Amino acid sequence: MSPAPAVGPLRRILVEVHRGGTLDAIADRVGVAPDEAAAMVDYWVGRGVLTREAVSGGCPPAGCGGCALRSSCTSQGRPGRPLLHTIRPAGKP
């Protein structure tokens, strides 16, 4: 009997999104950098397999300096951009 084929990081992202957690936690479990995990999520969002929805109104008026979420922020310091997102399989509430 031959061993099961290895699953690459792009497919593992899907498994880990189902398990839940922050993008940083998902990246850690897959063994890639957070920016690589974000790019893989973007790939699956583009294919319609995952969805990404904003869950916050934007950056605080004081900016990034004292923000506790700056390490996982997607706004890149631009006011008015969504601060947090939820990522889930497409078609799931």
Side-chain angles (χ1 to χ4, degrees):
M1 181 185 264
S2 63
V7 177
L10 188 59
R11 293 228 181 244
R12 288 201 52 220
I13 286 289
L14 292 176
V15 172
E16 297 304 329
V17 166
H18 282 279
R19 286 184 61 200
T22 66
L23 188 58
D24 286 344
I26 291 169
D28 189 52
R29 293 192 308 252
V30 172
V32 298
D35 61 333
E36 291 175 285
M40 290 181 215
V41 166
D42 289 343
Y43 170 82
W44 290 118
V45 168
R47 304 271 312 206
V49 175
L50 298 177
T51 61
R52 179 191 310 250
E53 299 170 22
V55 294
S56 176
C59 295
C64 299
C67 181
L69 301 172
R70 69 180 173 264
S71 67
S72 59
C73 182
T74 61
S75 74
Q76 300 172 340
R78 293 187 290 259
R81 296 228 15 227
L83 180 59
L84 296 173
H85 290 92
T86 182
I87 301 165
R88 68 178 123 222
K92 294 217 175 190

